[in-house]
DNA sequence: TCTGGGGTCCTAGGACCC
DNA sequence: TCTGGGGTCCTAGGACCC
């Protein structure tokens, strides 16, 4: 018999900051901010930093004075560390139930429909305590019959300390449920962003309750099919089942904002070579080939005269060969490069990914099997050397590593758990 | 001076084919 | 000279997510 859908969302609080605090217990209850690459803007803030009025995405240069004034500790993002902590949490959750969807680095959905639980909020608090004890990261847990409501429940759990980190919409009196939904602004609903929120408000919809009571036809008119689904989900009707067995990636992108803007073609070439090699490596690691490749470049979007360009091409023969990808994109850059622009950011895209094992010799003979085998052997050798001697030891000559386009990380914390040279050291006196 | 990076999905127009 | 519709692919861009 099929069980009625039931989800728990496990959402890590201020995840990057919480990871940094694991190794810096002195920073508990202190304002802490993690900055994006180039130390550009705030991507994670402790509650104390939020209380100082530092918004998500706050540009660091505008807040330097505030940081100094309130002795805010800042870190450059350390994604290797966060990825490692994330995997540990997932591994712990898997012992709770194998029916888990890893939604992002700091969020997972669990399918509770087949677990024998009576008091869901109490169950949530218990799971929260286990994660806190074994990993040390505080989480918020929301439980409901749809993912959208589970997300809202976790927000409610986070917002109101009385819930002790877990809130459930199951067996809740309608009046309480409505009051909770009424308290959530429409822009905090999963799927409502900066464009849809004003549209909904103009239609008189200001809260999650307003949206839950919307006519589905009207929601569809305003937002499309997603609108209709959002209304259903807010009423507890599941439209998005647990996604298990993660589908393989549909696209891979590697992009970088330059350390400083540039008008030089060779700098863009070098960025394409480095990012192309990184993207192709990720492709091979996942056992995939790309049928379309491309790149984009843009000027600084915060400066007047902002422009962006993107180019892509479809290949006759799917590839995972770094050299092949880099050569094609650098050639394309040569055709389309516009001098006298101040380039700020560039990225390499790989799309239309197919499993490497499905590559078959094309009937028309486009695919040269021998050449493919040779390219594959070359890439295996490249990856083997880089995995043995360290990332980026062997690279394409076009990737000029000395150049100043490399991003800056002034204040990254040590890679405590992902680099032998940066392990934490305990001294016994 | 200094404002992130990595994804997914959808739309829409034009080319091209039948 | 005037006249079509449906389907798919390609390309570009937008909206949203964390």
């Amino acid at each position: 018999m099929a069980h009625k859908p039931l989800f728990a969302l496990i959402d890590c609080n201020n995840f990057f900051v919480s990871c940094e605090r694991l190794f810096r217990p002195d920073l508990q209850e202190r304002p802490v901010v993690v900055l994006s690459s180039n130390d550009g803007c705030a991507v994670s803030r402790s509650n104390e930093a939020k209380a100082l009025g530092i918004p998500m995405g706050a540009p660091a240069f505008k807040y330097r004075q505030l940081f100094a004034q309130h002795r805010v500790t800042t870190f450059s993002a350390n994604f290797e560390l966060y990825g490692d902590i994330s995997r540990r949490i997932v591994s712990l959750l898997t012992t709770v139930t194998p029916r888990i969807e890893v939604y992002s680095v700091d969020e997972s959905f669990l399918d509770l429909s087949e677990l024998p639980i009576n008091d869901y909020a109490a169950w949530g608090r218990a799971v929260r305590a286990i994660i806190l004890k074994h990993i040390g990261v505080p989480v918020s847990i929301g439980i409901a019959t749809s993912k959208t409501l589970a997300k809202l429940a976790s927000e409610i759990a986070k917002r109101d300390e009385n819930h002790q980190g877990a809130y459930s919409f199951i067996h809740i009196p309608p009046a309480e449920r409505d009051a909770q939904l009424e308290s959530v602004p429409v822009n905090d609903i999963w799927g409502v962003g900066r464009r849809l929120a004003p549209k909904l408000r103009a239609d008189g919809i200001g809260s999650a309750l307003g949206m839950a009571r919307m006519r589905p036809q009207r929601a569809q008119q305003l937002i499309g099919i997603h609108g209709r689904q959002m209304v259903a989900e807010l009423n507890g009707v599941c439209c998005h089942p647990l996604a298990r067995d993660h589908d393989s990636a549909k696209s891979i992108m590697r992009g970088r904002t330059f350390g400083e803007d540039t008008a030089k073609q060779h700098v863009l070439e070098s960025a394409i070579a480095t990012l192309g090699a990184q993207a192709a490596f990720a492709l091979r690691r996942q056992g995939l080939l790309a049928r379309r490749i491309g790149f984009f470049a843009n000027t600084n979007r915060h400066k007047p005269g902002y422009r962006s360009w993107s180019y892509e091409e479809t290949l006759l023969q799917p590839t995972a060969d770094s050299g092949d990808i880099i050569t094609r994109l650098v050639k394309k850059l040569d055709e389309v490069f516009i001098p006298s622009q101040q380039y700020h950011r560039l990225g390499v895209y790989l799309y239309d990914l197919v499993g490497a094992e499905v590559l078959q010799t094309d009937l028309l003979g486009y695919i040269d099997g021998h050449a493919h085998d040779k390219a594959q052997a070359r890439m295996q050798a490249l990856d083997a050397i880089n995995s043995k001697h360290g990332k980026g030891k062997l690279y394409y000559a076009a990737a000029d590593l000395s150049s100043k386009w490399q991003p800056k990380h002034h204040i990254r914390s040590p890679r405590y758990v992902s680099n032998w040279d940066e392990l934490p050291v305990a001294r016994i006196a």
Side-chain angles (χ1 to χ4, degrees):
Chain A
M1 188 189 108
H3 291 78
K4 218 173 159 258
L6 188 52
F7 303 96
L9 175 68
I10 318 296
D11 186 351
C12 299
N13 298 351
N14 317 330
F15 182 54
F16 299 168
V17 165
S18 297
C19 290
E20 298 291 351
R21 277 177 168 166
L22 292 178
F23 300 92
R24 291 286 307 274
D26 57 305
L27 296 179
Q28 293 297 339
E29 303 184 4
R30 303 263 325 136
V32 181
V33 166
V34 173
L35 302 175
S36 60
S37 88
N38 275 325
D39 298 334
C41 56
V43 291
S44 182
R45 305 152 295 144
S46 71
N47 290 345
E48 299 75 18
K50 289 176 189 173
L52 290 173
I54 300 165
M56 187 64 171
F61 74 91
K62 282 190 184 169
Y63 285 82
R64 292 274 176 231
Q65 205 187 338
L66 188 78
F67 290 169
Q69 192 184 339
H70 294 278
R71 304 191 36 221
V72 176
T73 305
T74 58
F75 291 91
S76 301
N78 183 346
F79 293 107
E80 285 184 44
L81 171 66
Y82 312 149
D84 184 87
I85 304 299
S86 176
R87 281 186 291 275
R88 290 170 196 235
I89 293 172
V90 168
S91 145
L92 186 56
L93 288 173
T94 305
T95 66
V96 175
T97 171
R99 300 182 56 81
I100 178 170
E101 172 187 349
V102 180
Y103 179 71
S104 74
V105 70
D106 64 343
E107 285 175 56
S108 291
F109 287 104
L110 304 188
D111 173 2
L112 305 188
S113 63
E114 294 177 29
L115 298 185
I117 300 168
N118 292 318
D119 183 338
Y120 286 98
W123 175 89
R125 289 192 294 272
V127 170
R128 182 181 199 278
I130 291 170
I131 296 172
L132 202 53
K133 182 179 168 204
H134 287 88
I135 315 279
V137 170
V139 302
S140 300
I141 299 184
I143 297 156
T145 56
S146 72
K147 287 180 174 177
T148 304
L149 275 186
K151 294 269 278 186
L152 283 189
S154 79
E155 286 303 314
I156 292 163
K158 188 176 299 183
R159 201 176 59 192
D160 184 347
E161 284 186 4
N162 291 323
H163 299 308
Q164 298 168 61
Y167 184 79
S168 159
F169 273 118
I170 311 302
H171 310 313
I172 292 291
E176 181 188 332
R177 187 198 56 209
D178 287 357
Q180 293 289 5
L181 292 182
E182 178 68 34
S183 74
V184 176
V186 74
N187 50 292
D188 284 355
I189 300 170
W190 195 28
V192 177
R194 66 184 207 288
R195 301 303 288 263
L196 286 183
K199 225 166 154 179
L200 286 162
R201 283 203 203 90
D203 218 52
I205 311 290
S207 72
L209 183 65
M211 181 135 196
R213 291 182 172 167
M214 224 175 156
R215 281 176 31 246
Q217 299 90 317
R218 180 63 187 151
Q220 180 154 6
Q221 212 176 4
L222 223 52
I223 300 173
I225 187 65
H226 285 145
R228 182 180 277 266
Q229 290 172 343
M230 279 159 66
V231 170
E233 285 247 322
L234 284 171
N235 285 291
V237 177
C238 167
C239 302
H240 306 292
L242 195 80
R244 312 250 352 249
D245 304 327
H246 250 281
D247 298 339
S248 66
K250 301 213 165 62
S251 69
I252 290 172
M253 190 273 278
R254 288 293 178 274
R256 206 67 78 223
T257 297
F258 303 145
E260 52 190 77
D261 293 357
T262 181
K264 297 197 176 75
Q265 186 174 347
H266 79 83
V267 174
L268 299 197
E269 267 177 24
S270 138
I272 285 180
T274 303
L275 297 165
Q278 287 175 11
F281 174 66
L283 190 65
R284 294 193 293 275
R285 203 178 41 202
Q286 296 175 51
L288 298 170
L289 300 168
R291 211 163 69 86
R292 284 156 72 211
I293 64 175
F295 69 91
F296 66 87
N298 51 252
T299 63
N300 189 335
R301 69 179 193 280
H302 300 286
K303 287 183 182 167
Y306 167 71
R307 291 187 65 186
S308 75
W309 302 266
S310 71
Y311 302 97
E312 48 177 276
E313 63 179 288
T314 301
L315 309 175
L316 289 174
Q317 174 175 351
T319 187
D321 184 292
S322 303
D324 188 19
I325 291 166
I326 293 169
T327 309
R328 287 171 183 278
L329 294 182
V330 165
K331 194 168 150 227
K332 189 80 184 178
L333 174 72
D334 192 47
E335 290 169 27
V336 301
F337 178 75
I338 304 172
S340 81
Q341 293 285 338
Q342 286 296 317
Y343 295 92
H344 182 72
R345 177 176 163 78
L346 181 142
V348 170
Y349 255 111
L350 309 175
Y351 323 78
D352 264 13
L353 310 184
V354 295
E357 72 286 352
V358 306
L359 180 67
Q360 290 172 349
T361 302
D362 187 280
L363 285 176
L364 295 172
Y366 284 128
I367 292 180
D368 179 341
H370 182 61
H372 174 73
D373 291 345
K374 269 174 71 179
Q376 209 168 26
R378 204 161 52 229
M379 287 303 107
Q380 272 168 11
L382 174 73
D383 294 343
I385 290 168
N386 279 336
S387 107
K388 187 169 173 197
H389 299 286
K391 233 184 242 178
K393 267 287 183 314
L394 196 60
Y395 55 89
Y396 282 81
D400 172 11
L401 297 184
S402 66
S403 85
K404 54 196 175 182
W405 67 271
Q406 300 284 351
K408 299 170 181 139
H409 300 282
H410 294 305
I411 42 181
R412 194 186 61 202
S413 57
R415 288 165 289 188
Y416 301 106
V417 293
S418 58
N419 188 307
W420 289 111
D421 298 328
E422 300 175 12
L423 292 178
V425 176
R427 290 199 174 76
I428 298 165

